[in-house]
């Protein structure tokens, strides 16, 4: 049993949630734990292109599927337009919420080439930002959608 | 709120900020032969961008490229003791210390270069750390690293650059820590993985004051029990979660919580004090009462700490706000000498006050004691975050105001009832960490206190109006029973005090038939307060649901005025906010705006969404469903204007806007609905 993680086929670990597998054996840092109850958005990943919480999903559920985390979107050398836009807008304070938010924004930009602000707000509604950087985050997503992207 | 606690006057020449109590230059700065300068602030990154601001200050003063500045995370025994990172004081305390230390270091190096080269200091300029004379290079900071030139006490005579000569300060330098967070690189304490590290989960009493009666062995994990402290330690997070969930300990009944917070607030025993007293009392023409509930910190991240015992020595990695304070309380709770403990700061998720960061460090230390030499990572759950971390206490404020025939304010009298707003560790004889009272030999949790007004106050913060009022009486009852552990959260007492003052001023303006801005200005002689109020009044077009408020944070810090536009149908929504702030010199304008907007939106969340609830035995608002906060759909647009004054001392940004935002929303609700809110949050049931 295997799945695709950030473009690489990997063996499916046993037991626990997808988030525990990503942060545990796979050693990733992007997805964060915030509630373990699908209520804060910190742990979102792309599952077959759709943004989903990974904190309550049994890891077995991703067998044969495609998982992308923040690390898989881009790198400092080859950033995703959202990553560039978040830095340009300085969209964040502590940054704990950003991985999940950028993942949901990426899913939105795949669905809709030019979402308006209301569509961005709706896509980010599952996500909390307690530093209250919301307006910068909205600006960053709207800036990124103006750029060409993958 | 931090150095304010230990500013006992002394005879030593005054040095800026925390330099006064950490006077050796080498504590703060170290030039290294590799062309970098190591800076050791005692303040910590909480998401507020302090590391970036400090880098700008140091690079500017030393004349080096900011890329050469390396910052050491605050570490006990190594970094200067700057007490707690709180109260929006980091630029004042750490920034001004580092500015002075860097100016002094620059002049020491310059004079050595001058002596050695025979070139007068005036003829030498510093370019990215290199000293350049009329005939070419004369060496650099890096060439002279390791010569012990900074093994000296800072000189009070050192002269930082004049404002006009600063190049980096005053510009919006991008956040140093943001790229790692946008690319998913390890940056948070949650991302630390020490070799062989085990995972701990705590199992808490189901009701306040419950005692642990018995517990069976856990499956696939090690049990940790000390008195009423209970945890499991396992090889992975999944195993630890499972073992904790399956452990079914038996607990005694608890000691209970007051079922009715209002009744408790009125009747609970306390200690009375006079906050301000001037002139004589008079019969009031207006009496109003304001109430607020408990609020939670509700960071998106979970409290986390790593600990390892090596023999009698304990190392703790923590997102504490005060590494030395934490070490002091760990020592008390664990019964070891403070110098056996090293606390190393590691970044956590956003911190808005005294949350569970220190508590989880004791949890980790207790668990790691069972596994000598092996590091243990303790992590809280969402329910622990919301149900076991310190809360900002419920409060009751009564205001009596008297006006003259023209409607102008002549007498102000108010009284506050509240628990203390500071239960921070490291300040008393008894540890104030969550698990400290539970372990064998533990002492009961001391009731929280209030810092003195000169240090910003706690419950009484901003209780003295900024308005000119000839007769003033402000009293405080600090409730000394503390059924729910209370401590500092962004704004402390200012949230209710600013709102109650501004609500009464708004109402008095209405009674006098005077425009609310005009009425405030009539009573406001502080020019900087007038300037922010006039600025925001000019920014925010009058519209239905429009409200305005102004305050000077702690009556000592930044001036901030906020205007709000609200809409009210089945519930109240804040649609737009305008902020004008004067925080003196601004190190990083974009960072300041980010903080001001964050504070104002935090105010929106508190005003319209938040309330920590409990029943007779426990905090019940311990999930995101039961403790809802502001989300994207309800976030208003925000426009911010800074009134910068580069020649004036810098004042913090993080807390100044929150209370005025709440007060402006209350005024907007009155404008929209004709109802004056008297109870937070401003939900349909409270209006
Ligand atoms: S951690 Fe998954 S939604 Fe909160
Ligand atoms: S930036 Fe801190 S939670 Fe969003």
């Amino acid at each position: 049993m295997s799945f695709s993680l950030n473009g690489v086929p990997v063996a499916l670990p046993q037991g626990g949630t997808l988030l525990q597998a990503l942060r545990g054996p796979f050693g990733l840092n992007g997805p964060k734990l915030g509630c373990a109850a699908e209520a804060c958005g910190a742990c979102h990943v792309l599952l077959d292109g759709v943004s989903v919480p990974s904190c309550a999903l049994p890891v077995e559920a991703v067998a044969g599927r495609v998982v992308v985390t923040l690390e898989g979107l881009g790198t400092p050398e080859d950033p995703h337009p959202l990553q560039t836009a978040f830095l340009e807008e300085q969209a964040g304070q502590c940054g704990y919420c950003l991985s999940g938010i950028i993942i949901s924004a990426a899913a939105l930009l795949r669905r809709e080439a030019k979402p308006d602000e209301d569509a961005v707000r709706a896509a980010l509604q599952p996500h909390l930002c307690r530093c209250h950087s919301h307006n910068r985050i909205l600006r960053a997503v709207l800036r990124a959608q103006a750029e060409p992207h993958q | 709120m931090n150095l304010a606690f230990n500013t006992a006057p002394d005879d030593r020449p005054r040095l800026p900020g925390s330099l006064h109590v950490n006077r050796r230059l080498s504590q703060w700065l170290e030039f290294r032969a590799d062309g970098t300068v190591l800076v050791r602030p005692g303040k910590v990154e909480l998401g507020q961008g302090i590391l970036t601001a400090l880098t700008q200050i140091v690079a500017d003063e030393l004349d080096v490229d900011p890329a050469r500045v390396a910052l050491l995370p605050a570490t006990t025994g190594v970094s200067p003791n700057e007490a707690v990172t709180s109260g929006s004081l980091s630029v004042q305390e750490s920034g001004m210390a580092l500015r002075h230390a860097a100016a002094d270091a620059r002049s020491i190096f310059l004079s050595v270069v001058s002596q050695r080269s025979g070139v007068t200091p005036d003829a030498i300029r510093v370019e990215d750390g290199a000293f350049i004379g009329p005939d070419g290079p004369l060496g650099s900071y890096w060439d002279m690293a390791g010569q012990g030139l900074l093994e000296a006490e800072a000189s009070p005579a050192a002269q930082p650059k004049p404002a006009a000569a600063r190049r980096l300060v005053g510009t919006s330098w991008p956040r140093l820590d943001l790229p790692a967070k946008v690319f998913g690189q390890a940056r948070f304490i949650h991302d630390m993985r020490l070799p062989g590290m085990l995972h701990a989960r705590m199992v808490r009493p189901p009701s306040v004051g419950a005692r642990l009666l018995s517990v069976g062995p856990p499956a696939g994990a090690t049990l940790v029990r000390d008195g009423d402290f209970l945890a499991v330690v396992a090889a992975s997070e999944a195993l630890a979660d499972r073992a904790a969930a399956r452990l079914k300990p038996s607990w005694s009944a608890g000691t209970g919580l007051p079922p009715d917070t209002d009744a408790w607030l009125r009747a609970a025993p306390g200690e009375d004090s006079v906050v301000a007293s001037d002139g004589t009392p008079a019969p009031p023409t207006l009496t109003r009462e304001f109430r607020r509930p408990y609020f939670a910190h509700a960071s998106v991240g979970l409290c986390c700490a790593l600990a390892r015992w090596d023999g009698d020595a304990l190392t703790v990695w923590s997102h504490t706000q005060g590494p030395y304070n934490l070490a002091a309380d760990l020592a008390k709770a664990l019964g070891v000498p403070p110098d056996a403990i090293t606390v190393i700061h590691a970044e956590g998720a956003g911190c808005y006050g005294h949350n569970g960061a220190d508590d989880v460090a004791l949890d980790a230390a207790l668990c790691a004691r069972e596994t000598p030499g092996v590091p243990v990572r303790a992590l809280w759950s969402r329910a622990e975050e919301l149900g076991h971390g310190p809360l900002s206490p419920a409060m009751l404020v009564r205001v009596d105001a008297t006006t003259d025939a023209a409607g102008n304010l002549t007498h102000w009298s108010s009284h506050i009832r509240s628990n203390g707003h500071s239960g921070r560790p490291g300040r008393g004889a008894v540890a104030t960490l969550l698990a400290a009272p539970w372990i064998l030999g533990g002492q009961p949790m001391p009731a929280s206190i209030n810092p003195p007004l000169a240090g910003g106050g706690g419950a009484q913060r901003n209780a003295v109006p900024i308005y000119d009022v000839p007769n003033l009486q402000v009293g405080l009852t600090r409730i000394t029973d503390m059924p729910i552990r209370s401590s500092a959260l962004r704004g402390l007492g200012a949230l209710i005090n600013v709102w109650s003052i501004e609500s009464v001023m708004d109402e008095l303006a209405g009674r006098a038939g005077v425009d609310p801005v005009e009425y405030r200005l009539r009573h406001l002689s502080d020019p900087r307060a007038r300037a922010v109020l006039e600025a925001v009044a000019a920014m925010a077009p009058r519209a239905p649901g429009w409200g305005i408020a102004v305050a000077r944070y702690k009556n000592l810090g930044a001036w901030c005025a906020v205007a709000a536009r609200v809409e009210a149908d089945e519930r109240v929504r804040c649609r737009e906010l305008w902020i004008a702030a004067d925080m003196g010199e601004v190190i990083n304008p974009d960072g300041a705006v980010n903080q001001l907007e964050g504070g104002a939106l935090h105010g929106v969340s508190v005003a319209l969404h938040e309330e920590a609830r409990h029943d007779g035995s426990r905090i019940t608002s311990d999930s995101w469903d039961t403790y809802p906060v502001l989300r994207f759909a309800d976030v208003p647009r925000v426009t911010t204007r800074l009134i910068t004054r580069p020649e004036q001392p810098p004042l913090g940004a993080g807390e100044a806007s929150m209370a005025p935002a709440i007060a402006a929303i209350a005024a907007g609700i009155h404008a929209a609905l004709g109802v004056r809110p008297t109870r937070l949050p401003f939900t349909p049931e409270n209006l």
Side-chain angles (χ1 to χ4, degrees), chain B residues 344-362:
Chain B
I344 303 171
H345 186 263
E347 287 171 29
C351 168
Y352 321 104
H354 175 204
N355 57 25
D358 297 295
D359 298 331
V360 74
L362 177 57

Side-chain angles (χ1 to χ4, degrees), chain B residues 547-574:
Chain B
I548 197 163
V550 61
R552 181 181 185 194
Y553 188 52
K554 301 183 199 172
N555 295 31
L556 302 165
W559 290 260
C560 184
V562 176
R565 182 174 63 79
V566 307
E567 280 171 16
D569 35 57
E570 77 283 5
R571 66 186 174 99
V572 175
R573 288 183 177 81
C574 177

Side-chain angles (χ1 to χ4, degrees), chain B residues 64 178 304 388 477:
Chain B
V64 302
L178 203 55
C304 181
H388 290 272
T477 302

